[in-house]
Amino acid sequence: MKIRAAVARAREPFRIEEVELEGPRADEVLVEVEACGICHTDLTAKDHDYGTPLPAVLGHEGVGRIVALGEGVTGLVVGARVVMSFGACGRCPSCAAELPAYCRHARDYNLFARRLDGSSPISQAGRALTGHFFGQSAFASHAIASAHNLVPLGEDLPGPLMTSLACGVQTGAGAVVNVLRPEPDDAIGVFGCGTVGLAAIMAAKIAGCARIVAVDVRAERLETARALGATEVVDNAQADLGAALKRLGGLTLAFDNTGRPEVIEAAYNALHPRGRIALAGLSARGASLTLDLNRLMASGRSLRGTIEGDADPRTFIPRLVDWYRRGELPLEQIVTTYPFEQINEAAADMLAGRVIKPVLRMMP
Ligand SMILES: [Zn+2]
Ligand SMILES: [Zn+2]
């Protein structure tokens, strides 16, 4: 079938064009896309040679409605509304351990954006386009999604606000509740207050952390962080970060999503004995840290990476939805919607920091 999709070519604006979409294979579903969030990974994949073959149809935070099922799909029905999360095989040891973000095929499904046989469901003028980004490629009117990635969504929920449960909000909230697992007397630092960091702050508040320290270089982001639960803020454009964290009495937990070595080192150095830091930010290629190894050993600290908040979307997204329904995940404070045709304005506004989470609406 012919569909409309935003085609990404390296360092050029997205262009909305007509492309050809195959029908679903046995383990796939055809989804009419209602809305899709833009995440930094989409723009990195387009403009920073991140491994995704271009031209491509990107987009990995889609919400939509199932219009056709592959013949092997069970547990989903035509007409159901779904969130499309990241791709995983469902069979490898990580998937079996309910840690699909560490699927041994994760890079193929998500960044390299292909089915395991290397094929793509999207083509244009007889030429294949990369079209299975995070098992969906949802910057389009329709998507062929892997059935494994889909999480049912209630009819009453606002689609645009639910999109970032697929990636950004799941990453930040999951890093807190699945990885750092705070106790009420913890003092947690959140470094970087975009969608991922603000979701971490909301989750830290839900977990009842005594102190939540938000760090960013934009004053307005720090105001939003306070509104969402931060008890203290550090403007890293103004302050000496290490000294500021020391003045605040240090941290027991830290979550970085800046990917910047100097920020991670300051966060690590602010940890109390047995403190733990989780890293979820994309760093420059080849970036490395300088840590005092004796201090690492003798203080019992730990440092670990995490992706997609260690979440299994099929159980974690329903938890996030429950929090939203209870008013504990006020996503309306971070989302700005745009018509699909304004994808380039939405991306520019995100990069310039004018909006936190831009979401494209494919339907009125
Ligand atoms: Zn797997
Ligand atoms: Zn993402």
Side-chain angles (χ1 to χ4, degrees):
M1 67 188 275
K2 298 240 183 287
I3 64 162
R4 288 184 315 130
V7 179
R9 299 178 179 85
R11 290 167 284 279
E12 285 181 30
F14 289 97
R15 275 202 204 92
I16 297 184
E17 298 174 0
E18 192 177 87
V19 300
E20 187 69 33
L21 186 69
E22 283 178 5
R25 290 190 178 178
D27 58 347
E28 294 175 342
V29 166
L30 173 63
V31 175
E32 184 174 19
V33 182
E34 176 184 334
C36 186
I38 303 180
C39 177
H40 280 283
T41 306
D42 297 302
L43 306 183
T44 306
K46 180 166 84 69
D47 295 330
H48 296 283
D49 307 314
Y50 200 47
T52 307
L54 301 172
V57 177
L58 304 171
H60 63 286
E61 289 187 339
V63 164
R65 195 174 295 284
I66 297 176
V67 289
L69 297 173
E71 73 265 21
V73 176
T74 54
L76 293 167
V77 293
V78 170
R81 204 164 175 232
V82 289
V83 182
M84 295 180 262
S85 196
F86 60 87
C89 78
R91 292 179 296 275
C92 73
S94 293
C95 285
E98 294 177 13
L99 289 165
Y102 306 103
C103 174
R104 67 170 56 153
H105 300 292
R107 286 171 66 79
D108 286 322
Y109 276 120
N110 297 314
L111 281 184
F112 302 147
R114 55 195 175 210
R115 296 176 175 132
L116 291 189
D117 68 359
S119 69
S120 168
I122 299 179
S123 60
Q124 193 177 41
R127 188 169 159 246
L129 298 185
T130 296
H132 206 50
F133 190 63
F134 283 71
Q136 55 184 288
S137 289
F139 288 162
S141 61
H142 297 76
I144 289 291
S146 302
H148 184 268
N149 309 359
L150 305 184
V151 181
L153 190 67
E155 290 293 329
D156 59 315
L157 294 160
L161 298 189
M162 297 295 109
T163 58
S164 63
L165 303 186
C167 182
V169 168
Q170 172 161 260
T171 296
V176 171
V177 302
N178 298 329
V179 180
L180 292 171
R181 298 170 183 260
E183 302 282 336
D185 57 354
D186 271 314
I188 185 169
V190 175
F191 298 80
C193 295
T195 299
V196 173
L198 293 171
I201 288 168
M202 294 184 225
K205 185 180 175 194
I206 291 167
C209 290
R211 293 177 47 234
I212 302 171
V213 180
V215 180
D216 201 282
V217 292
R218 288 192 173 100
E220 68 279 9
R221 286 289 159 94
L222 294 171
E223 274 172 43
T224 306
R226 266 197 203 279
L228 294 174
T231 58
E232 288 130 297
V233 301
V234 177
D235 185 342
N236 195 24
Q238 310 287 334
D240 171 334
L241 182 55
L245 294 171
K246 198 167 177 187
R247 232 182 357 260
L248 292 173
L251 302 169
T252 59
L253 300 173
F255 172 59
D256 177 79
N257 66 102
T258 72
R260 301 178 76 88
E262 70 281 7
V263 172
I264 296 166
E265 285 165 12
Y268 168 85
N269 287 325
L271 290 175
H272 291 187
R274 298 186 295 111
R276 291 173 287 132
I277 179 167
L279 310 182
L282 185 64
S283 296
R285 211 174 262 138
S288 55
L289 290 177
T290 305
L291 302 178
D292 181 324
L293 292 180
N294 285 328
R295 221 167 142 203
L296 169 64
M297 178 272 291
S299 65
R301 293 178 208 189
S302 51
L303 173 143
R304 61 159 288 194
T306 170
I307 192 160
E308 297 289 352
D310 277 22
D312 184 338
R314 291 173 300 176
T315 52
F316 196 61
I317 289 178
R319 263 178 93 185
L320 295 171
V321 168
D322 284 346
W323 291 345
Y324 173 77
R325 287 188 194 280
R326 290 207 299 261
E328 294 176 336
L329 207 63
L331 298 171
E332 65 283 356
Q333 294 197 35
I334 65 171
V335 167
T336 307
T337 61
Y338 296 79
F340 185 28
E341 293 68 28
Q342 288 178 19
I343 182 171
N344 291 304
E345 290 85 340
D349 285 351
M350 179 172 73
L351 287 177
R354 289 187 288 269
V355 300
I356 298 168
K357 167 58 73 178
V359 173
L360 305 171
R361 304 181 79 120
M362 283 66 178
M363 290 182 190

